[in-house]
Amino acid sequence: MRARRRRRTDWAKVGLGTFVVLFFLFVMAPIVVVVVVSFGEAEFISFPIQSVSLRWYRRIVEYRPFIDSLLVSLQLAFSSALLACLLGIPAALALARSQRPLAQALATFLLAPLSMPAIVLGFALLYYLSALGFGVSFDALLVAHTVIAIPYVTRNVIAVYRAVPGDLEEAAAILGAGRFETFRLVTLPLIKPGVFAGSLFAILISLDNLPISFFFGTSSTNTLPVVMLSYLQNQFDPSVAAVCTVQMALAVVALLVVERIGDIRSASV
Amino acid sequence: MTDRPALSVALEDISKTFGPVHALRPTSLSVEPGEMLALLGPSGCGKTTTLRVIAGFETPDTGTVRIGGVDVTDLRPNRRNLGMVFQNYSLFPHMTVGQNIAFGLRMRRVDKATQGQKVRDALALVRLAGFEDRFAHQLSGGQQQRVALARALVTDPSVLLLDEPLGALDKNLREGMQFELRQLQKRLDITSILVTHDQEEALTMSDRVAVLSAGEILQVGPPSAVYERPRNRFVSEFLGTANVFEATVERAEGGRLALAVAAGTATVRSLVPGEGILGGRRLVAVRPEKIDVARNGDGIPARVVEHVFRGSYHAYSLEVPGRAVPVFAYRQTPLVDGAALAPGDAVRLGWPAEWLVLLDDEAP
Amino acid sequence: MTAGDIAAVPARRRRARRFVGLGLGWSLLAVGFLLAFFLLPLIDNGIKSFFGPDGFSTAPYRKLLSDPYYLAVTWRTLQVSAIVTVASLLVGYPVAYFFVRYAGRWQTLMIMLLIAPLLTSIIMRTFGWQVLFARRGVVNVVLRDLGIIERPLNLVNDPAMVYVGLVHVLVPFMVLSIAAVLQRIDPRLEESAMILGAGRLRAFLSVTLPLSLDGVATGCILVFMLTNGSFITMLLLGGGNVVTLPLLIYQQFNLTRDTAFAGAMGNVLLVFAVACLFVQLRLIARRGVKA
């Protein structure tokens, strides 16, 4: 009897595994539901859907505010990410390897916007920028979104640059490269993954931002989330589901493209 | 890799502090054209700082760096025309082997065709012909090391700096590379400075060794001279193993000292060259392979504690009454008077007077 | 070298120059930008909240701290954050543990599934919950088919929905924070505790759990901070039943335009955020010492 071997069931693993499966059902459910609903045919939202149609995608194209605000959002996301790169990359390079307390303090400051409630920042910026003379405008939105984008770019570039051994740049210098050549041929290609990851985050966050954007809303500066929110508060039809699905698809494509470009470039420069 | 005369390197009163730390106390050093000089010392001794000052990565607080007689102290690293092999090779991970090697040529605006030819020559020189299109991460440690060497040499630098170049290789590979690197350096007749903490590497590869400790150069000289005639206790113990004894000066005349080393119940007297005060207490050192072991006689009485066979020699640890640390003796043969030495044997120790080294240190 | 040699060295000292890398000055563009458009606006807002139309006044703060309604809102803001934090921890810890110890080759898939929600907008996820919990939504249908309920429940606008929505949005942050720390704990520690006779649960409670508290703290402070600033979930799923400071700011701005009062509420929220940031920095500093 004692010698009998039996396979022990690892109950902890089975239990945890079940929990994890349920967890991911919970995580994915609302997202899947929205995607499915967007392909429904009926006038009202129902799930599961009765028949498949693309009518709500046509509705997006016909409803001007969706298209207009999508264009504003894209323009805003990319220009604020670009601006954040121009400001944040030099800062990240300057701060990443310094051991000085001042450098650490400055790095913390550059990440601080992540920790502040965006709605307070949006509110404060609106009145501050109005006093400066550009209250509700695309420029004001750009400034506000850049404030949020800088921490993402800085944080990612700092992390990547810290992992780059310092003697690579010294090797370039000893081989005859000046400061600019070292930066262009060695530093920049090596921090590229951080720049791409940081920009991607900044772009995604900007596309999804509501707490700041809604303070600066006018018909010409409404971003997509602002328009969606007001649509959702007034109407409850599947067109919002279609917009959400398009937005998600854009994010996924952006992720894939950025990763692909990042890889190819960093392998061939 | 053209024919051009090798250049000298000279450091004059170089010093460097990092905050409160004296990385380098005022130091002077000259490296002859075509010579390989090893900077040897434990970590934190200032050897890497010295190399970085020569490379131009650190600005010395005081002093002058000259390469080929020209003051380069204020010249940027990229204008010094040096070659350098880093500890972890520091190959650019986003470039191929060929692009890595061509980098220095590109910076010197060499045309593409010449670049290609020189890269091929450099790869052939380090026996890696045909590896142009690989990436560093596809190569073994030894291959990466060779690529780093090719990259450092292809620009025909006036001086080659080697920062622990073999530190990341395993032991077998390291010994092979030591000889290869040394031969290449001789063939190219390029002035080279090697930083290492490995005494064997320093002895094998260099024309002269500089031993550093706490930011100071303690001794410079050919490997055999520094090994056989260490100037002080630190050098004698850092470079190999040394048996250090206290000695009393019994006579001082005509540049020679009569020293008496008293240990256990015996006193061994030797006459050595040197200056000293009558009755002064000094430290002396004897290398383990110079210790004579006899069964009888009037040498220092000792007892064999341990015997270890090390392949090419036999190592004995010996206990001397009244002495805290053991005396080590290395012998080609375990036989003494026809019988093998074994733990527990009582023996008498001595040494030929010419192998007793008088150290600078006063005895405590 | 002797002391005499050192004394003989010329007094001239060179200024150390940097040959590789950038000086701190290069950070000034970004620092300046954030000073001008992040710090100054917040300070400006802080000052302005003390100045009503009739000059200096602490009226907004007195109202906020004495009126039972606003006091309740402030209190509820912290309460919601605390509940969401605890719920995320309870849900997230087992997932993080599974991810590190058991997931094996499924780790990549798990990471992707954890990141996926971050690619969707908050509106999308909130909207999804609205659909699921609608009167004729999936949840009601399933519950009725199972015979648990007879008439559909009015789930949307139930306060519980706000918690479900918030946990859904924030739990990935908790999982990732805890997993990052768990990953550095050697599983052999737990095994050696078991060899020493501890039961599996004991081994976990006495070895792994204490060692992972760093990640738990990081995740908790992050989730607490993020909940503190949330309002879209409250707005869309709470139906006006879960009013917190950010939601009130949104409403005040949209409806009453009482900017001094909205500013004052923003400052209270800011104080909470700064406190969280302070705790977060202390955690990082402590970890830095340990490493």
Side-chain angles (χ1 to χ4, degrees):
Chain A
M1 276 298 272
R2 289 185 110 186
R4 195 184 66 183
R5 295 180 64 174
R6 60 201 173 98
R7 183 173 294 150
R8 290 251 297 282
T9 310
D10 189 344
W11 289 110
K13 187 177 177 178
V14 172
L16 273 178
T18 315
F19 183 82
V20 168
V21 170
L22 290 174
F23 170 80
F24 281 115
L25 275 179
F26 163 73
V27 168
M28 299 311 289
I31 299 166
V32 173
V33 162
V34 172
V35 174
V36 172
V37 162
S38 72
F39 290 104
E41 163 119 71
E43 196 61 47
F44 49 88
I45 292 170
S46 69
F47 182 88
I49 53 171
Q50 309 302 321
S51 55
V52 177
S53 113
L54 287 177
R55 65 176 284 200
W56 299 111
Y57 289 88
R58 279 197 297 278
R59 163 88 175 140
I60 304 179
V61 185
E62 285 156 9
Y63 187 68
R64 286 301 305 176
F66 279 149
I67 291 297
D68 291 345
S69 62
L70 176 64
L71 292 178
V72 171
S73 272
L74 287 173
Q75 204 184 340
L76 182 61
F78 282 93
S79 37
S80 64
L82 182 68
L83 195 52
C85 283
L86 291 177
L87 298 169
I89 293 173
L93 296 181
L95 300 177
R97 289 188 189 150
S98 174
Q99 298 295 320
R100 289 165 61 182
L102 176 65
Q104 319 249 343
L106 289 179
T108 307
F109 176 62
L110 291 184
L111 300 187
L114 288 183
S115 308
M116 295 300 126
I119 188 164
V120 181
L121 182 61
F123 179 84
L125 257 180
L126 174 67
Y127 290 100
Y128 179 80
L129 292 180
S130 299
L132 289 185
F134 58 122
V136 180
S137 63
F138 184 83
D139 292 342
L141 265 179
L142 180 59
V143 166
H145 279 235
T146 306
V147 168
I148 298 295
I150 284 175
Y152 288 98
V153 172
T154 313
R155 186 167 63 178
N156 278 284
V157 175
I158 283 182
V160 171
Y161 191 53
R162 275 197 185 138
V164 171
D167 46 16
L168 287 177
E169 285 154 316
E170 291 183 352
I174 207 92
L175 287 168
R179 280 159 169 277
F180 179 70
E181 283 165 320
T182 304
F183 176 76
R184 187 171 63 89
L185 298 173
V186 176
T187 314
L188 198 57
L190 291 174
I191 61 167
K192 201 174 273 175
V195 173
F196 276 109
S199 312
L200 178 68
F201 276 125
I203 287 167
L204 292 178
I205 294 293
S206 165
L207 282 178
D208 190 24
N209 183 290
L210 195 55
I212 286 182
S213 297
F214 91 87
F215 286 110
F216 299 89
T218 66
S219 57
S220 66
T221 57
N222 268 335
T223 62
L224 185 59
V226 173
V227 169
M228 280 160 74
L229 182 68
S230 68
Y231 193 90
L232 211 52
Q233 283 173 311
N234 301 319
Q235 281 144 293
F236 198 66
D237 70 39
S239 59
V240 171
V243 178
C244 288
T245 307
V246 169
Q247 204 182 353
M248 182 181 74
L250 285 176
V252 173
V253 168
L255 179 72
L256 294 177
V257 166
V258 159
E259 197 178 66
R260 183 56 56 86
I261 292 178
D263 272 352
I264 290 174
R265 288 274 196 80
S266 58
S268 65
V269 168
Chain B
M1 279 150 269
T2 51
D3 289 320
R4 44 114 194 82
L7 298 180
S8 67
V9 176
L11 302 183
E12 295 161 7
D13 283 327
I14 292 289
S15 71
K16 177 77 187 171
T17 54
F18 294 109
V21 183
H22 283 273
L24 217 50
R25 294 176 191 280
T27 298
S28 296
L29 179 68
S30 69
V31 188
E32 301 304 315
E35 178 184 41
M36 166 87 91
L37 180 102
L39 298 172
L40 176 68
S43 60
C45 68
K47 58 188 193 296
T48 300
T49 305
T50 308
L51 196 74
R52 292 175 61 80
V53 164
I54 298 169
F57 297 140
E58 307 287 357
T59 316
D61 297 341
T62 61
T64 312
V65 181
R66 290 182 196 281
I67 295 175
V70 180
D71 182 350
V72 298
T73 322
D74 293 313
L75 217 54
R76 292 170 163 278
N78 53 317
R79 306 225 172 272
R80 294 191 181 193
N81 192 31
L82 303 171
M84 184 160 176
V85 176
F86 293 82
Q87 189 164 11
N88 298 305
Y89 320 133
S90 295
L91 299 179
F92 304 124
H94 58 294
M95 297 183 193
T96 61
V97 166
Q99 288 166 334
N100 261 286
I101 297 175
F103 190 88
L105 302 170
R106 218 169 130 194
M107 292 306 107
R108 286 164 177 75
R109 312 274 177 260
V110 174
D111 66 85
K112 280 269 179 214
T114 318
Q115 273 185 34
Q117 189 52 49
K118 288 202 165 197
V119 167
R120 275 192 296 279
D121 291 348
L123 276 172
L125 190 71
V126 297
R127 299 191 287 114
L128 279 177
F131 276 64
E132 280 93 336
D133 295 328
R134 309 271 186 99
F135 281 92
H137 63 87
Q138 295 169 314
L139 304 182
S140 71
Q143 290 169 332
Q144 290 186 35
Q145 209 274 337
R146 287 152 194 256
V147 174
L149 190 60
R151 186 178 70 175
L153 290 172
V154 75
T155 54
D156 201 17
S158 48
V159 178
L160 180 62
L161 306 177
L162 304 157
D163 184 8
E164 305 264 4
L166 308 175
L169 299 180
D170 61 44
K171 194 169 182 304
N172 283 337
L173 207 52
R174 197 159 60 218
E175 284 178 6
M177 279 305 294
Q178 282 174 5
F179 287 105
E180 197 175 324
L181 196 55
R182 175 64 167 149
Q183 282 175 348
L184 201 60
Q185 184 264 334
K186 274 187 179 161
R187 182 146 58 94
L188 298 175
D189 188 31
I190 180 169
T191 313
S192 305
I193 299 169
L194 166 75
V195 159
T196 180
H197 65 272
D198 182 339
Q199 38 143 325
E200 195 186 302
E201 194 167 290
L203 295 179
T204 316
M205 291 177 64
S206 59
D207 295 304
R208 283 193 305 151
V209 180
V211 182
L212 284 87
S213 170
E216 286 184 67
I217 295 180
L218 300 179
Q219 189 170 0
V220 190
S224 59
V226 177
Y227 180 80
E228 287 167 3
R229 297 281 157 200
R231 185 177 287 167
N232 59 24
R233 180 169 197 160
F234 179 88
V235 176
S236 75
E237 291 180 336
F238 189 76
L239 214 62
T241 307
N243 297 302
V244 176
F245 299 95
E246 288 179 23
T248 310
V249 179
E250 292 191 327
R251 232 173 43 234
E253 53 182 44
R256 290 163 78 81
L257 297 177
L259 295 173
V261 174
T265 54
T267 301
V268 177
R269 292 195 160 75
S270 325
L271 202 60
V272 302
E275 302 287 342
I277 315 160
L278 193 65
R281 306 272 292 152
R282 300 286 292 271
L283 289 186
V284 292
V286 186
R287 292 288 180 197
E289 61 271 23
K290 307 299 184 196
I291 295 274
D292 291 330
V293 181
R295 298 271 181 199
N296 303 299
D298 51 5
I300 295 167
R303 203 172 52 81
V304 177
V305 177
E306 211 178 340
H307 165 222
V308 179
F309 179 53
R310 293 245 177 98
S312 51
Y313 63 94
H314 295 262
Y316 296 90
S317 163
L318 302 137
E319 185 184 70
V320 174
R323 184 182 157 90
V325 291
V327 171
F328 293 100
Y330 297 165
R331 297 172 56 81
Q332 295 302 315
T333 163
L335 299 177
V336 175
D337 296 343
L341 274 182
D345 289 2
V347 293
R348 295 281 178 158
L349 306 178
W351 49 79
E354 69 263 35
W355 293 117
L356 185 74
V357 181
L358 181 66
L359 303 177
D360 278 351
D361 315 62
E362 303 275 327
Chain C
M1 303 278 154
T2 65
D5 291 342
I6 295 175
V9 160
R12 183 176 73 107
R13 254 181 91 96
R14 266 187 212 88
R15 217 170 71 81
R17 277 161 304 153
R18 177 188 294 269
F19 289 109
V20 171
L22 299 177
L24 289 192
W26 287 86
S27 67
L28 286 182
L29 274 177
V31 169
F33 188 87
L34 287 192
L35 278 178
F37 298 115
F38 170 65
L39 194 60
L40 275 182
L42 292 179
I43 292 173
D44 177 57
N45 183 48
I47 296 171
K48 257 192 287 197
S49 67
F50 285 102
F51 290 93
D54 315 315
F56 182 81
S57 147
T58 54
Y61 290 95
R62 280 205 307 276
K63 184 169 153 196
L64 197 56
L65 296 174
S66 60
D67 186 314
Y69 175 76
Y70 294 114
L71 213 52
V73 168
T74 307
W75 177 237
R76 193 178 304 115
T77 307
L78 293 174
Q79 207 182 1
V80 169
S81 300
I83 292 173
V84 170
T85 303
V86 171
S88 300
L89 176 61
L90 292 178
V91 172
Y93 198 103
V95 177
Y97 189 83
F98 183 89
F99 172 78
V100 171
R101 286 293 143 81
Y102 297 116
R105 63 204 169 89
W106 298 98
Q107 272 198 354
T108 319
L109 179 69
M110 276 185 79
I111 284 270
M112 277 167 55
L113 287 177
L114 278 172
I115 305 262
L118 303 179
L119 294 179
T120 65
S121 65
I122 288 194
I123 290 186
M124 180 179 199
R125 288 179 272 170
T126 314
F127 181 60
W129 288 118
Q130 282 186 330
V131 175
L132 276 171
F133 286 96
R135 196 159 266 277
R136 278 174 299 181
V138 186
V139 174
N140 268 321
V141 170
V142 170
L143 287 178
R144 201 176 47 196
D145 290 354
L146 290 173
I148 297 172
I149 54 169
E150 284 177 9
R151 268 182 295 164
L153 297 171
N154 191 8
L155 291 167
V156 175
N157 298 346
D158 190 282
M161 288 314 307
V162 172
Y163 295 109
V164 171
L166 283 170
V167 170
H168 181 256
V169 172
L170 298 172
V171 77
F173 294 103
M174 183 70 87
V175 174
L176 293 173
S177 303
I178 297 175
V181 173
L182 273 181
Q183 213 137 29
R184 293 199 299 263
I185 302 175
D186 192 336
R188 279 172 298 186
L189 285 178
E190 209 170 306
E191 283 164 15
S192 50
M194 281 161 72
I195 287 168
L196 293 172
R200 192 167 193 157
L201 189 64
R202 241 327 261 296
F204 169 76
L205 290 178
S206 58
V207 177
T208 310
L209 186 62
L211 285 174
S212 64
L213 285 184
D214 234 11
V216 170
T218 311
C220 283
I221 202 77
L222 187 61
V223 170
F224 191 91
M225 206 142 88
L226 291 170
T227 318
N228 251 343
S230 302
F231 74 96
I232 298 155
T233 317
M234 287 80 164
L235 180 69
L236 292 177
L237 292 177
N241 293 318
V242 184
V243 181
T244 57
L245 282 175
L247 183 59
L248 206 56
I249 294 173
Y250 172 80
Q251 288 170 343
Q252 293 274 334
F253 177 79
N254 270 2
L255 304 173
T256 62
R257 300 260 163 182
D258 184 348
T259 55
F261 191 52
M265 286 190 292
N267 284 328
V268 173
L269 213 50
L270 210 59
V271 170
F272 294 164
V274 170
C276 288
L277 184 63
F278 182 73
V279 174
Q280 200 179 36
L281 290 177
R282 289 298 296 270
L283 281 174
I284 293 170
R286 212 183 58 189
R287 204 168 313 137
V289 170
K290 267 193 211 163

